Amino acid sequence: QVQLVESGGDSVQAGGSLRLSCASSEDIHSYLMGWFRQAPGKEREGVASIGAGGSLIYADSVKGRFTISRDNFKKSLYLQMNSLKPEDSAMYYCALTRRYYWKDTLRSTDFESWGQGTQVTVSS
């Protein structure tokens, strides 16, 4: 079972930036990787995903502000978050899928391995 560990969450003011990292215990080069978030009382939502070949998908709410990237040699996934807004506050999760490695998807049900999450809080 692959282990995913997120880091980089923090409390920042609106307009600030954060960089989230996700370290995998296994080689990730052939997997689809994604970032998701969940705020209290809300459903988990897809933020961004990056395919093995580098294809990208972003939620409309973060386009132009967030950038997902991966470093297969370091077995790591990243999320650069700029121009943060209070509505970005949530627990952020890293996830991967082997089964749907070929897809471009932000459906949480398509991902089978998840990290424990890192908290992002944006104050106005």
Side-chain angles (χ1 to χ4, degrees), residues 1-2 13 22 26 31 36 38 45 50 68 75 89 91 109 121:
Q1 180 76 5
V2 63
Q13 291 193 330
C22 172
E26 298 181 8
Y31 300 152
F36 294 79
Q38 187 167 18
E45 64 171 343
I50 181 167
I68 188 172
K75 297 186 290 185
S89 297
M91 185 72 78
T109 52
T121 303

Side-chain angles (χ1 to χ4, degrees), residues 76-87:
S76 293
L77 180 72
Y78 306 99
L79 185 68
Q80 178 66 43
M81 305 187 295
N82 298 328
S83 302
L84 282 161
K85 304 176 181 180
E87 51 263 44

